[in-house]
Each structure stands twice: as C-alpha cells, then as structure tokens.
Amino acid sequence: MSDAGQQSPNGNADMPPAAGGTEHLNIKVTDGNNEVFFKIKRSTKLEKLMKAFCERQGKDLRSARFLFDGTKVQVTDTPDTLDMADGDSIEVHQEQIGGAA
C-alpha cells in the first residue's frame, strides 16, 4: 500500500528531452476527419504505418496519398530519412483517379 503514489515529482526529469538519440516517435496521421497516433521507431519503414492507417479506416492503400510537409511519403521512407520529429503529422488525401478519355 505504501508504494502507491510515491513517485517523485521529477519522475521524468532525469531523461533528456527528445534528443537525436530517441528511439521512438509519436506520429499523428490524419485524413481531415480522423486522427490516429502511432508510436514507431525512427528506422521503421513508413509503409507499416500507412498500411495500418488504411486498414483501420477501411481505405485502399493504392488510393491514399500520404504527405509530410507537402511532400509525398514513399513506402520506403523512414522517419529518419524524412527528418521527422516527435509529434509530427502526416496528412492523408484521397488519390484522384483520372476518368476514361
């Protein structure tokens, strides 16, 4: 019983703020209506995040365009290759499919 609630008020103060060595990032993925948060390693291919978002939202990966800072995210990209920081957002847009001419 005496263990409960005895955390130091500075519990996380000893940990440095998100320095370059932080292994995981929290990334928000939003399509304008829905927001999904992912915690991924800096070296994880974003394809994994993209597939998971599409599965959760019932979207087809081939018809979704993922953008980070206005640049299309490729399935081979990682947070490191895009220089992402903790708390960054990826936008998802419906890919426009051309009609028959």
Side-chain angles (χ1 to χ4, degrees):
M1 250 203 202
S2 62
D3 293 312
Q6 294 215 357
Q7 291 181 332
S8 165
N10 299 346
N12 291 333
D14 294 332
M15 296 188 64
T22 304
E23 177 105 6
H24 290 87
L25 295 175
N26 293 301
I27 304 297
K28 177 174 75 169
V29 181
T30 180
D31 64 2
N33 298 319
N34 304 297
E35 292 182 344
V36 181
F37 294 86
F38 293 92
K39 185 173 184 176
I40 61 171
K41 290 184 179 180
R42 293 181 168 275
S43 59
T44 300
K45 288 185 180 178
L46 291 173
E47 176 182 28
K48 188 173 181 180
L49 175 148
M50 294 159 72
K51 284 181 177 179
F53 180 84
C54 287
E55 285 175 12
R56 289 184 189 184
Q57 300 303 319
K59 297 181 184 284
D60 183 356
L61 181 61
R62 294 170 295 182
S63 67
R65 175 173 288 190
F66 291 79
L67 300 175
F68 173 66
D69 283 345
T71 304
K72 186 173 181 183
V73 176
Q74 304 297 324
V75 293
T76 56
D77 287 332
T78 67
D80 270 346
T81 62
L82 296 178
D83 199 26
M84 296 179 86
D86 190 51
D88 277 345
S89 296
I90 294 177
E91 297 176 11
V92 183
H93 299 277
Q94 189 71 29
E95 186 82 63
Q96 292 293 326
I97 309 297

